[in-house]
Amino acid sequence: MNPLPEPIATSAHHVTRRHFLGRSATGIGTLALASLLNPQLFAAAQSGKARGGLPGLPHFKPRAKRVIYLFESGAPSQMDTLDYKPALEKLHGTELPDSIRQGQRLTGMTSGQKSFPVAKNFVPFKQYGRSGAWMSDLLPHIGGIADDICVVKTMHTEAINHDPAITFFQTGSEQPGRPSIGAWASYGLGTLSEDLPAFVVLISKNTYGSPQPLYARLWGSGFLPSNHQGVKLRSTGDPVLFLKDPAGAGDESRRQMLDGIAKLNTLRQAEVGDPEINTRIAAYEMAYRMQMSVPDLTDLSKEPESTFKLYGEEAKTPGTQAYNCLLARRLAERGARFIQLYHRDWDHHSRLPQEHPRQARETDQPSAALVTDLKQRGMLDDTLIVWGGEFGRTVYSQGNLAGGNYGRDHHPRCFSVWLAGGGIKPGISHGQTDDFCYNVAENPVHVHDLQATLLHCLGVNHERLTHRFQGRDYRLTDVHGNVVKGILA
Amino acid sequence: MTFRFAALALALAAGPLAAAAASPATVDFNRDIRPILSDNCFACHGPDEKARKANLRLDVRESALAPVKSGAVAIIPGNASQSELIKRITTKDADDVMPPPKTGKKLTAAQVESLRRWIAHGAKYQEHWAFVKPERPAVPAIRNPKSALRNPVDNFIVDRLQKQGLSPSPEADRETWLRRVTFDLTGLPPTLAEIDAFLADKSTQAYEKVVERLFASPRYGEHMARGWLDLARYADTHGYQMDQARTMWRWREWVIEAFNRNMPFDQFTVEQLAGDLLPDATVEQRLATGFNRNHLITIEGGVIDEEYRTEYVVDRVTTTATTWMGLTMLCARCHDHKFDPLTMRDFYGMFAMFNQVPERGIGGFAPQLKTPTKAQEAALAQLDRDLAATQSAHEAAAKSLVPEQAKWEATFAAAKAEWQVIEATGLKSTGGATLTKQDDQSLLVSGKNSPHDTYEVTARTALTNIAVVRLEALTDASLPNTGPGRFNNANFVLSEFELEAVSIAEPQKKVKVKFASAQADYSQDNYNIAHTIDGKPGTGWAVDGPTRNKDCTAWFYPDKPFGFPGGTELRFALRHETIGGHGIGRPRLSISTSAGPQEAEIAGLVAVPREKRNAKQAERLREVFLARHASPGMKQLTADLAASRERKKQVEAAIPSTMIMQDMEKRRETHLLIRGQYDKKGEKVEAAFPAVFTVAADGRKLAPNAKPETSNAKPDSGAPPSRLDLARWLVSPDHPLTARVAVNRIWEHYFGTGLVRTSENFGVQSEPPSHPELLDWLAVELMRPQSRPSPLSMNRSPEHPSPALRAPSPLLGGGERDGVRGALPSGSKAEIAAGGGTLVPTPQTSPLAAWDLRHLHRLIVLSATYRQSSRVSPALLQRDPENLLLARAPRLRLSAEAVRDNALFLSGLLVEKVGGPSVMPYQPEGLWFELNDRAGYRMDYVQGRGPDLYRRSLYTFWKRTSPPPTLNLFDAPEREFCVVRRSRTTTPLQALALLHDPTYVEAARHFAERILTQGGATTDERLTFAFRTATARKPTAAEAKVLRASLEQQLTAFRKHPESAGKSLKVGESPRNEKLDAAEHAAWTAIARMILNLDETITKG
């Protein structure tokens, strides 16, 4: 074996002094700790300065400081919502030509189907705004903000089933193991809040139906340090796990106990010299502050009636999509970096004309309200909003088209999402699909492209946001992904 | 992840370390050059042929020295300035400069200089150190040691420290070492009694005795298994989407037991990778192979079977490669490895070995093995003995009844079930579907397919004594995929089957028929026919519609026959309320007065002439005869026999089935998968070991052969290597990686950082080892046979005695090991300083084994390096912030599991029971439903009771998509893939959990009880007891003052608010000691909470 006597020296190129100084509070460093304990630096949200994050980031001036991602899980039907295809009117009920289908693989649910009859949009479309964007009657409120959003009609993905497709969107890989997109943001850019997590997850409860499950890995930290995983803000029980004091412990007693712990920890630190103890002291202080900041966050009593007019009365009910959209705005105000919402149950393999409308109703008004609200507050300019599912749905019907209770199967080759806010050109539509809404005709946007664009808006070059794991520099976008220049403001 | 931080020592340090780095005397390829080339060049000029640019390859010398197409030569040994490589990395021309600017990579001036000097000195290449078999290095001599040298580990560490101008820290006090080693070996702290005993033990072997005591505790196996579960991605659920439960805890038991038996690591390896292929494999050996079935498995409806089956095989290859070889094989799934000499062929060569399992992609839970626990095995043995006795008594008695049976058979009236098919007179679908009567009286359903639909069928019959109702679910061309269900996957789910009988003569007489039982010719897993008569709309009967598409029949047996004289109107209700749109497509209903299928069956059997009946038929007839007609004595015997069989059946049914590895009879062909895609098959590939380890650069075969002669399967047949061959190859003494990787993980277990910091990667991109000679010395030491220790017969000797050889073992393939490792170690140059030397056990008569993990643990925990204090000065902290040089002992937060186990242990709540199924301790309500409340798939978190709340954390039920929250907060991974290293973070959410999770609040309450009942009479005594129990040391005066003040404050507060005291003592399910004064108990609970929250309590210092 070859002697390698100076490994410390040879690994010098991995680190810079600045890297050391910039380490997050949860890492090792003494110097980072000192800054954490400095009360002036707690005013991060006000000053807009981030704590934690990597040195050298953002790579360039960001257009967005934060992201609100409205994930429409289960996959909405693009030709019934955002991608108007008048040509389908005539094709309704006819067989999807092989020239269009091009041997695309099908899921196990329709691969045995003998006939693939085209199903036109089941509700009419109207034009909205100065841009004249076509929007289906399922999404009238989103129609109302047509001039503020950019509809990307040519998203496409690799996966044809929910688990891999959602995992792909949220982590850049179909198989589990990679950090989620919010974890990347937290890792790369740190937090803007002194008393709330950088990456927050909100899961809307379905009023009825039986939605597809979600998985902790979608907001997991993968191979990044686990403090970057998303923190679920729950609508039942403690909003943050274990937030509340146990019964019988009053404010006074709690403070006394925390002071005692801090004193003992400080004494120990002086004795053994381990800077990690200081990090723990700071963590306990932050926990104490969270006990006040989180209830303040979820206390809607001071919201004026106009808020509920905008978001809808449902915004008063914890766990609804409307409530979560409102909470997303309040989180954005308080400095959260990445706010991930999940609205589930778009997966209508049957009865799509019956089920899609109620699904759309749950998200239409609050999503539009969020954009409007942020705009009124002057926050839309530095907040990026994304709305969309994990794939689209087939133009052909699944089940009996004539009966009217047909559904649509999973479709990865083209589907629509919309974006708004920081860095995105408003009032436009990007890309064209073919007349069947089956293939991309021009300007395809891959999942990795969307991820790259999202990071770009945050001031991050996706090719340079890496984490070294197993001796390799990993990226969210793997070795792919191009920023979609056409949609940038 | 922290290793980028490493070089801080360099960045901040002045002195010998920095000076040495700036001008190493010679350029060393492995140390100085390969990292530069690998990180910056290999992606385009490395092993991956497809990605290679300009046909230039820099990882192989002859290729780097050859001219490329343009005529340029990358490396001209001795002539750096004419070498194209140097020109390109130094040019100012943005088009020409390397690495290309778009890669974001740029060489530093120092790196350019290193390359220049390396070429100037002849551009010598070396093989990557980790791919060369480790040789036992000489133990460095330490002249004038200023600190104790307890075994060779210390020589290596001190040698390095001295070269850096540093020296080790003083020895930690005894309490500190005891707490440290107890946590490290058992995951739990020492008790006060253990501390006192150790402090009092003045014998020279006091430390050794502690270590042996800890080894002997079953807690040792539990703690070691805990780490192995991360590598094995162990969990109690399947992981993808629906994430339902699986049973693998028997495999976990196997691991715990293996550690507790100190199973040698080679055997541990072979049994887990290929126990099923060993000759006459035992149940335990086959159970061990569960290691490679712990991967995720999908049941998502639409997935493509082969796609996921491929993923499972990929997972096995990568997990095996990571765990045993520290290789990132996954990179070679889609293309040749960018850095390591691993090709796609290598990947699929290993893939072929793991590709032989008879499994599916969707719901691929087969093959499984029934794996009785020890208690079950004992119970079964007893039952078998009972059964045999009853059976022989029964047989003797039955013999005498043969003539009577003949008579019975003769008089048996041939009966057969006569079915009257229902002719419906009224039809209704509550969901608005259309029910159309067909010629065969079946009812074809069409039209609207509502989420909930009940078919109401009315008919009349003159029959009375109706004893059975039959429901057929028929297929039909008009149904999706021909049915039998209406859902688009052809399935149905019948929630309830109901029937009301109304007298036609007297319509006020009606009865709701109560079905006592139901049978079906086919039921889908979890959708048994019995669900149709359980009164629950949320459960139902389904028939695997997507894969089966066959007619299905169900029979419903009323608790008593029904039917009114004068005719009966039958009102059927077929409810579909479990899952939307899942109606039966073409039902047909029939009734019969026959007693049911049994009479028909018997008639059939009797019809077969006696001499033509087979054994099964004869047995069945006799069984029925005896049950119905024999004497009371005979009936009793028959009943006893049936009861015995039933008991056995129950015990057998409770035996857990565990997924195991197994190879198919007919080998599945393996193809290279283009870009790693399951459906893009390339050339056919045979099973093989990665060529880099088996073939030298010149094509010469290296030992071991691609097909080691150690295999028991046709040694010279030329058959491709099996999993068993792979396992044996991994633990062959010539393998360069296995022992190093294992040793490194163990080192990491103690010191927080491995000697190779990238413990998951030993490839070219790995971090060079901090102490390479020590790593190799330990690796060789692990592979050497060790004599069994006896702490009482330790003597001091400069070297180990010559170890005896191990007997040939079938496990390792014949006499493979004979004569291999028996040679004496190369002579050590260690000079034995006064008081130093090596503690070595004298040879014992007990068996000798190589790969003895405990030997390695002993070496480490008894070393002076491990026995140092962890106190750190600012100067040392700045010099070596990550403690890579080990001038002090590590100070590390406990693992997630140990944080919880420690609190339970200190409080006296911990329930110690080794093994068994996973348990469900406290967890905030609703966490699972939040993510998955899909009907038919959601799982309840049914919080355990009593002991289940207080088991060690490695037994906590592990749901992958929603892992145990507190463990997760303390950096436990989700267990979706093999994890070698956990991150170690400190967060506010951890503080909230420790402060408020009922687990800890309840533990504090019990800890307070202990303090009040066992901690002495005075406050000071109690505070000392409490503090010492948690930290193993007495509080300082300053600490005692803080605690006393806190106690007084809390006591005052609780005396003022007795209602708060009452409330604060109610957290948790365990009862409170009501004899204790509530205010006092509450105040001490607060003190206990403070202590449980101290950094020191959750840290091994």
Side-chain angles (χ1 to χ4, degrees), chain B residues 761-773:
Chain B
N761 182 14
F762 276 57
V764 168
Q765 285 284 91
S766 63
E767 292 267 313
S770 59
H771 299 77
E773 293 86 0

Side-chain angles (χ1 to χ4, degrees), chain B residues 612-633:
Chain B
K612 286 200 176 159
R613 287 176 204 155
N614 62 30
K616 217 171 158 190
Q617 289 168 327
E619 169 63 20
R620 174 77 183 136
L621 259 181
R622 194 172 73 162
E623 195 179 287
V624 178
F625 163 70
L626 292 176
R628 292 187 182 185
H629 299 279
S631 66

Side-chain angles (χ1 to χ4, degrees), chain B residues 773-1007:
Chain B
E773 293 86 0
L774 174 57
L775 176 68
D776 282 6
W777 188 86
L778 288 170
V780 174
E781 193 66 14
L782 175 63
M783 291 189 279
R784 279 158 43 99
Q786 302 301 330
S787 53
R788 284 277 178 238
S790 159
L792 302 176
S793 58
M794 294 291 210
N795 64 4
R796 282 171 195 280
S797 120
E799 258 304 337
H800 290 256
S802 174
L805 296 174
R806 192 154 81 158
S809 145
L811 185 78
L812 295 157
E816 152 77 0
R817 196 163 294 279
D818 281 18
V820 175
R821 295 289 89 188
L824 268 170
S826 56
S828 165
K829 294 191 195 89
E831 278 178 37
I832 306 311
T838 318
L839 262 183
V840 180
T842 49
Q844 300 294 302
T845 48
S846 48
L848 301 171
W851 296 93
D852 178 355
L853 294 172
R854 286 187 190 171
H855 172 60
L856 213 63
H857 289 300
R858 271 185 209 103
L859 276 172
I860 293 174
V861 301
L862 294 171
S863 70
T865 304
Y866 182 81
R867 282 169 62 167
Q868 293 177 95
S869 162
S870 63
R871 208 160 280 153
V872 61
S873 67
L876 181 56
L877 187 66
Q878 198 175 57
R879 180 72 190 279
D880 184 9
E882 281 201 280
N883 198 18
L884 296 176
L885 298 174
L886 292 167
R888 61 182 187 276
R891 199 178 174 284
L892 302 167
R893 199 204 68 216
L894 301 175
S895 69
E897 289 86 348
V899 167
R900 176 170 171 273
D901 296 352
N902 183 35
L904 292 175
F905 185 86
L906 299 179
S907 69
L909 280 170
L910 186 71
V911 172
E912 296 203 68
K913 172 180 169 258
V914 179
S918 293
V919 293
M920 299 195 184
Y922 301 118
Q923 171 169 307
E925 221 171 299
L927 284 181
W928 287 6
F929 278 0
E930 223 162 60
L931 302 189
N932 184 1
D933 63 350
R934 193 169 175 83
Y937 296 99
R938 61 198 226 167
M939 267 164 77
D940 272 312
Y941 189 86
V942 184
Q943 187 192 299
R945 297 257 146 202
D948 280 5
L949 296 170
Y950 314 112
R951 299 278 308 282
R952 291 195 71 173
S953 305
L954 94 149
Y955 301 118
T956 297
F957 189 94
W958 204 285
K959 187 167 166 70
R960 281 176 161 127
T961 59
S962 184
T966 307
L967 297 181
N968 200 218
L969 285 176
F970 282 94
D971 304 316
E974 280 140 16
R975 297 266 175 80
E976 290 182 318
F977 54 97
C978 167
V979 170
V980 183
R981 257 194 304 178
R982 293 184 178 186
S983 55
R984 201 178 290 118
T985 64
T986 302
T987 70
L989 301 180
Q990 292 169 359
L992 290 173
L994 277 187
L995 285 165
H996 304 146
D997 180 338
T999 306
Y1000 296 98
V1001 180
E1002 183 186 31
R1005 169 161 67 81
H1006 271 263
F1007 191 15

Side-chain angles (χ1 to χ4, degrees), chain A residues 223 467-474, chain B residues 1 3 318 322 327-331 337 339-340 758 760-763 765-766 977-978 980-981:
Chain A
F223 46 64
H467 181 74
R468 203 171 178 85
F469 173 63
Q470 295 182 332
R472 198 192 124 187
D473 291 328
Y474 279 85
Chain B
M1 181 109 166
F3 69 78
T318 54
T322 302
L327 290 179
T328 54
M329 279 297 279
L330 184 61
C331 295
H337 202 288
F339 307 106
D340 294 330
T758 50
E760 71 287 348
N761 182 14
F762 276 57
Q765 285 284 91
S766 63
F977 54 97
C978 167
V980 183
R981 257 194 304 178

Side-chain angles (χ1 to χ4, degrees), chain A residues 1 15 17 20 105 162-163 175 210 212 214 216-217 226 232 234 242 276 280 284 405 468 470, chain B residues 1 4-5 12 240-241 300 449 678 761 776 925 930-931 934 961 971 976 986 996 1093 1095:
Chain A
M1 159 145 188
V15 80
R17 187 179 164 79
F20 170 58
R105 66 177 185 158
H162 300 288
D163 183 325
Q175 291 299 321
S210 185
Q212 303 289 330
L214 293 171
R217 81 176 86 101
S226 57
K232 239 188 317 163
R234 310 181 66 214
F242 313 117
E276 197 58 28
R280 191 165 308 284
Y284 272 72
N405 59 358
R468 203 171 178 85
Q470 295 182 332
Chain B
M1 181 109 166
R4 281 161 185 259
F5 204 46
L12 297 183
Y240 288 111
Q241 212 197 25
E300 185 168 355
N449 191 5
Y678 73 96
N761 182 14
D776 282 6
E925 221 171 299
E930 223 162 60
L931 302 189
R934 193 169 175 83
T961 59
D971 304 316
E976 290 182 318
T986 302
H996 304 146
N1093 272 277
D1095 180 81

Side-chain angles (χ1 to χ4, degrees), chain A residues 270-284:
Chain A
E271 173 64 24
V272 298
D274 182 357
E276 197 58 28
I277 301 179
N278 289 336
T279 312
R280 191 165 308 284
I281 296 170
Y284 272 72

Side-chain angles (χ1 to χ4, degrees), chain B residues 53 123 130 447 485 779 998:
Chain B
K53 302 280 163 59

